[in-house]
Amino acid sequence: MPSKFHKVQKRVNKKKGNTTALHENSRDALRLRSAVARDDRVARLGALREKHNEPHMLRVLHFHDVIADDQEPLSDEKVHEAINSYLDRDNETLDDLRAERRPGRPPNPKQTLLEQQRATEQREYEYGFWMPDMQDANNLAKLKEWKGEWVGLGQIKFVRVEKAGRVRESAFPPKGGA
């Protein structure tokens, strides 16, 4: 996306010639400053949005990798195996962090963060784990064709799978427990 600053700078250069000769408080200097501020704000908000969407992308990417070779929809047991493999993805890192820690020392902040994340995901699994519907053949084909972009996730159907076995439809992007 072209930045607003370049458009404004081009317009001012066309009118004035050289932007270094502008008066500090002129209209053109004000336009240039506001265009730079807008570009910074847009970039900051875009980075914040990507950071917010990253956990959902990583989750869908994991399930995309799980079905890489499967052609038919997954059974209930395979879905629960895939969820458990996702939940256990950081076990080795946690074990290493626990082993590194000397007795009597507080846990590493990274270890604390991973344990909290794990507890949150375990709780989510109890009440409904958000994931792509891997038991629908059409949805499985869409998930296989997914290119790893946030925009492409709108075409995929998502469900919430409870540990007890109940499956219910969900929305994209996930909103709380719906």
Side-chain angles (χ1 to χ4, degrees), residues 87 89-100 110-116 118:
L87 295 175
R89 70 192 182 283
D90 291 325
N91 281 352
E92 293 175 12
T93 309
L94 268 172
D95 291 340
D96 291 343
L97 289 172
R98 287 180 185 137
E100 285 176 8
K110 184 176 180 180
Q111 177 185 346
T112 306
L113 184 67
L114 285 173
E115 288 172 348
Q116 288 173 349
R118 185 180 204 181

Side-chain angles (χ1 to χ4, degrees), residues 32-171:
L32 288 169
R33 280 195 301 270
S34 66
V36 167
R38 179 189 181 278
D39 287 347
D40 289 343
R41 184 178 65 247
V42 167
R44 190 177 65 248
L45 290 175
L48 183 67
R49 190 177 318 109
E50 283 181 19
K51 184 179 178 184
H52 177 68
N53 294 340
E54 184 180 13
H56 306 303
M57 291 287 290
L58 291 175
R59 183 177 290 194
V60 175
L61 189 61
H62 173 80
F63 290 111
H64 181 265
D65 293 341
V66 165
I67 57 132
D69 13 329
D70 288 340
Q71 296 297 333
E72 69 262 354
L74 292 144
S75 64
D76 287 340
E77 297 102 26
K78 290 223 180 197
V79 168
H80 288 285
E81 284 177 22
I83 292 172
N84 286 324
S85 73
Y86 178 78
L87 295 175
D88 296 338
R89 70 192 182 283
D90 291 325
N91 281 352
E92 293 175 12
T93 309
L94 268 172
D95 291 340
D96 291 343
L97 289 172
R98 287 180 185 137
E100 285 176 8
R101 191 175 53 154
R102 293 189 325 235
R105 299 292 297 167
N108 185 341
K110 184 176 180 180
Q111 177 185 346
T112 306
L113 184 67
L114 285 173
E115 288 172 348
Q116 288 173 349
Q117 178 183 2
R118 185 180 204 181
T120 303
E121 290 171 347
Q122 288 287 350
R123 212 171 318 116
E124 180 186 356
Y125 187 30
E126 291 287 327
Y127 298 107
F129 190 81
W130 182 82
M131 63 179 287
D133 187 4
M134 297 166 53
Q135 295 179 323
D136 179 23
N138 293 334
N139 199 52
L140 204 59
K142 289 178 187 176
L143 185 59
K144 284 182 186 179
E145 294 171 8
W146 179 60
K147 304 263 190 277
E149 298 175 351
W150 180 259
V151 179
L153 291 177
Q155 305 298 320
I156 299 172
K157 187 172 94 174
F158 290 89
V159 293
R160 288 213 177 257
V161 178
E162 294 179 9
K163 195 170 192 173
R166 197 175 97 165
V167 177
R168 54 193 159 101
E169 287 191 26
S170 184

